[in-house]
Amino acid sequence: MLTIKLIQEQTDLVAERLRIKNFEATSILNEILQLDDLRRSIQSRMDNQLAELNSLSKQIGQFYREGKTSEAEAAKEKTAEFKEQGRILKEQLTQTENQIQELLVQLPNLPHELVPAGKTADDNLLIRSGGIIPTADPERKAHWDLLQSSKLIDFELGNKLTGAGFPVYKKEAARLQRALINFFLDQGIKAGYTEVQPPILVNQDSAYGTGQLPDKEGQMYHAEADGLYLIPTAEVPVTNIFRDEILEAADLPLRYIAYTPCFRREAGSWGSHVRGLNRLHQFDKVEIVQVRHPQNSYQGLDEMVNYVESLVSLLNLPYRIIRLCGGDMSFTSAMTYDFEVWAAGQGRWLEVSSVSNFESFQANRLKLRFKEKGDKRTTLAHTLNGSALALPRIVAAILENNQKGNEIMIPEILHPYTGFDRISL
RNA sequence: GGAGAGAUGGCCGAGUGGUCGAAGGCGCACGCCUGGAAAGCGUGUAUCCCAUGUGAAAUGGGAUCGAGGGUUCGAAUCCCUCUUUCUCCGCCA
């Protein structure tokens, strides 16, 4: 959520930046500014009424203590008017605040100035790439064909248990996945991240804090009886650790890492290109989160990009790093880098990580602030997060890129984790 | 799930209708003291909003004692609902 202060001070800049995200904000911005003026004047008047009421109340107390009962009774008569006015103004204030809030949550985050303009993925900017794309080979299979007979990843069984998009991993596939999770966590800890295991169901406040609500309500599974949501990413519980917190500047940056299952309804986003592991309703992911001083949050973003790059490199996966254009970026992000790895069996790039700086956009909703020691003023912190990494597509890429005849070679770095160096089909 | 007791500032803890944003203690910051430190002494130490105002400040007002509602001229204090913690019982991975 953008701050009203920013909208007031830089109205034109805000409108201009939001156009990069193909969002025409002018009328909303003006409406907000108008409502905010109204809000202040209401607040002023209300405060005055309440101040009168408070001072009368004090007087009444004084009268009673002095035994001046009739004066006290007389003063009581006078309170009714202030009370009523105060009540009416309070109602107006709440209503106005709600209206402002409704408009504010419609505004996406401002893109950073380096974000390219554009509407679709075609306008994204290739930053760099690495690894070697295996030579095309007609023998090479997509992972769903590759596993067809072995059923190491059993989609039909998952369908029986739950439904489409909930596969069952078996034997080496299950162990490979577990190995990757441990590998990712260990790497993260080595890089200075603190491991946490958060709940995977969150309440409304948390879903709101990171922006899943109200923007993407339909994308989360909702346990209605308890008012809880299954998390679509560990970003939600981990970032919400800091909701309503005032941190010490000296404690920043904070780096957290968490493995969780993730749940996404993916309503309306299924098609022929999302077969197999490419898109699931439940998948595993290791997520990294940073909380930073605004001065160095982009340093943090670079650090996270380099870190994720190290992971795909260690796994010997051909990758490319892309800076998303305004139109392809998420609502909450100021700058996002996507990581894609080459899946040789399908002959296409798969997105395996998305690393973003949200600047103060999430922090504003979360009320996540920090304070310099000895300073009175609080400042919104910057939050960042990234996948490090999302499991299924990494598994898909490993399977597809490393197939040799009837075998799949496991990247060497994982051998200590898997306990085997190949999967025989 | 049943019964009971709680939820107060960074922490501990007092406060059962007015002078309470809240005693006291601890912690922290600054100052005095000291050759330096400790002890001691003094001062300060929540967040948000509004107004005036500024380089930063400051001053005045309003709100907040788990959350929401109610009673009252006035609520941390009384009533209701919810959340949550602890103890006992039941159940249980």
Side-chain angles (χ1 to χ4, degrees), chain A residues 17-129:
Chain A
R17 281 288 174 76
L18 286 181
R19 272 180 215 118
I20 301 280
K21 279 198 171 178
N22 306 310
F23 190 93
E24 187 44 62
T26 314
S27 69
I28 294 186
L29 293 177
N30 287 334
E31 210 177 329
I32 289 173
L33 290 176
Q34 255 172 30
L35 283 167
D36 191 52
D37 281 345
L38 179 63
R39 190 198 108 244
R40 296 141 111 89
S41 90
I42 294 172
Q43 166 114 43
S44 249
R45 280 180 281 152
M46 183 185 80
D47 285 355
N48 287 338
Q49 297 294 321
L50 292 179
E52 295 283 356
L53 188 61
N54 285 344
S55 89
L56 264 178
S57 292
K58 272 185 190 156
Q59 259 179 46
I60 293 169
Q62 187 66 27
F63 284 142
Y64 275 125
R65 250 170 286 123
E66 292 169 358
K68 299 176 179 168
T69 316
S70 56
E71 281 93 334
E73 294 299 327
K76 271 196 203 178
E77 303 277 316
K78 290 197 278 183
T79 59
E81 176 66 13
F82 294 121
K83 240 185 131 174
E84 177 62 7
Q85 281 303 315
R87 193 189 59 76
I88 291 168
L89 289 166
K90 170 74 189 169
E91 245 170 54
Q92 289 176 9
L93 183 68
T94 308
Q95 200 196 338
T96 309
E97 281 172 346
N98 289 343
Q99 283 172 357
I100 292 171
Q101 186 70 7
E102 265 174 48
L103 292 171
L104 273 178
V105 297
Q106 290 175 35
L107 295 175
N109 197 5
L110 305 187
H112 186 273
E113 54 186 7
L114 289 179
V115 168
K119 296 220 187 296
T120 66
D122 298 334
D123 300 313
N124 293 340
L125 191 67
L126 177 66
I127 300 296
R128 59 178 181 268
S129 53

Side-chain angles (χ1 to χ4, degrees), chain A residues 146-218:
Chain A
L146 198 58
L147 299 176
Q148 189 63 49
S149 54
S150 70
K151 300 261 194 227
L152 284 176
I153 301 177
D154 196 331
F155 292 92
E156 275 116 67
L157 183 55
N159 200 29
K160 169 186 169 184
L161 300 180
T162 306
F166 294 90
V168 178
Y169 302 78
K170 298 190 288 200
K171 300 181 191 169
E172 287 94 335
R175 290 173 66 190
L176 172 60
Q177 185 127 243
R178 183 155 54 87
L180 281 163
I181 292 166
N182 283 328
F183 169 65
F184 291 149
L185 286 172
D186 286 351
Q187 290 293 314
I189 290 165
K190 254 194 258 174
Y193 289 87
T194 304
E195 183 178 353
V196 287
Q197 290 189 358
I200 58 177
L201 279 162
V202 295
N203 60 28
Q204 242 186 323
D205 287 345
S206 294
Y208 180 82
T210 32
Q212 276 67 34
L213 294 178
D215 320 324
K216 299 188 247 175
E217 169 125 45

Side-chain angles (χ1 to χ4, degrees), chain A residues 67-350:
Chain A
K68 299 176 179 168
T69 316
S70 56
E71 281 93 334
E73 294 299 327
K76 271 196 203 178
E77 303 277 316
K78 290 197 278 183
T79 59
E81 176 66 13
F82 294 121
K83 240 185 131 174
E84 177 62 7
Q85 281 303 315
R87 193 189 59 76
I88 291 168
L89 289 166
K90 170 74 189 169
E91 245 170 54
Q92 289 176 9
L93 183 68
T94 308
Q95 200 196 338
T96 309
E97 281 172 346
N98 289 343
Q99 283 172 357
I100 292 171
Q101 186 70 7
E102 265 174 48
L103 292 171
L104 273 178
V105 297
Q106 290 175 35
L107 295 175
N109 197 5
L110 305 187
H112 186 273
E113 54 186 7
L114 289 179
V115 168
K119 296 220 187 296
T120 66
D122 298 334
D123 300 313
N124 293 340
L125 191 67
L126 177 66
I127 300 296
R128 59 178 181 268
S129 53
I132 298 152
I133 295 178
T135 47
D137 178 353
E139 293 292 293
R140 214 179 268 284
K141 293 176 178 169
H143 64 271
W144 48 84
D145 291 328
L146 198 58
L147 299 176
Q148 189 63 49
S149 54
S150 70
K151 300 261 194 227
L152 284 176
I153 301 177
D154 196 331
F155 292 92
E156 275 116 67
L157 183 55
N159 200 29
K160 169 186 169 184
L161 300 180
T162 306
F166 294 90
V168 178
Y169 302 78
K170 298 190 288 200
K171 300 181 191 169
E172 287 94 335
R175 290 173 66 190
L176 172 60
Q177 185 127 243
R178 183 155 54 87
L180 281 163
I181 292 166
N182 283 328
F183 169 65
F184 291 149
L185 286 172
D186 286 351
Q187 290 293 314
I189 290 165
K190 254 194 258 174
Y193 289 87
T194 304
E195 183 178 353
V196 287
Q197 290 189 358
I200 58 177
L201 279 162
V202 295
N203 60 28
Q204 242 186 323
D205 287 345
S206 294
Y208 180 82
T210 32
Q212 276 67 34
L213 294 178
D215 320 324
K216 299 188 247 175
E217 169 125 45
Q219 289 301 324
M220 286 184 294
Y221 288 97
H222 186 192
E224 265 178 84
D226 298 288
L228 301 175
Y229 296 86
L230 274 166
I231 58 170
T233 159
E235 165 196 347
V236 180
V238 174
T239 310
N240 270 283
I241 291 173
F242 307 105
R243 172 151 48 86
D244 288 320
E245 292 290 328
I246 299 174
L247 306 167
E248 286 261 348
D251 294 335
L252 302 178
L254 296 170
R255 298 181 181 84
Y256 278 69
I257 187 166
Y259 153 72
T260 67
C262 301
F263 302 88
R264 299 187 182 178
R265 295 187 61 228
E266 303 290 1
S269 65
W270 292 84
S272 59
H273 62 293
V274 291
R275 287 185 69 183
L277 295 170
N278 288 6
R279 176 160 292 160
L280 300 171
H281 285 306
Q282 177 182 334
F283 63 97
D284 291 312
K285 182 158 63 67
V286 174
E287 182 82 0
I288 50 178
V289 170
Q290 293 202 9
V291 179
R292 286 218 165 225
H293 194 292
Q295 274 171 3
N296 59 33
S297 66
Y298 280 91
Q299 219 169 294
L301 187 64
D302 290 344
E303 181 192 302
M304 289 166 77
V305 167
N306 291 337
Y307 172 70
V308 173
E309 185 173 16
S310 77
L311 295 180
V312 285
S313 296
L314 285 169
L315 293 173
N316 283 323
L317 293 171
Y319 65 91
R320 60 182 196 185
I321 306 174
I322 284 159
R323 185 186 294 146
L324 297 190
C325 74
D328 208 22
M329 265 164 74
S330 78
F331 188 83
T332 46
S333 175
M335 166 125 63
T336 296
Y337 291 97
D338 270 7
F339 278 73
E340 297 180 338
V341 298
W342 182 253
Q346 303 174 55
R348 48 193 301 261
W349 294 97
L350 298 178

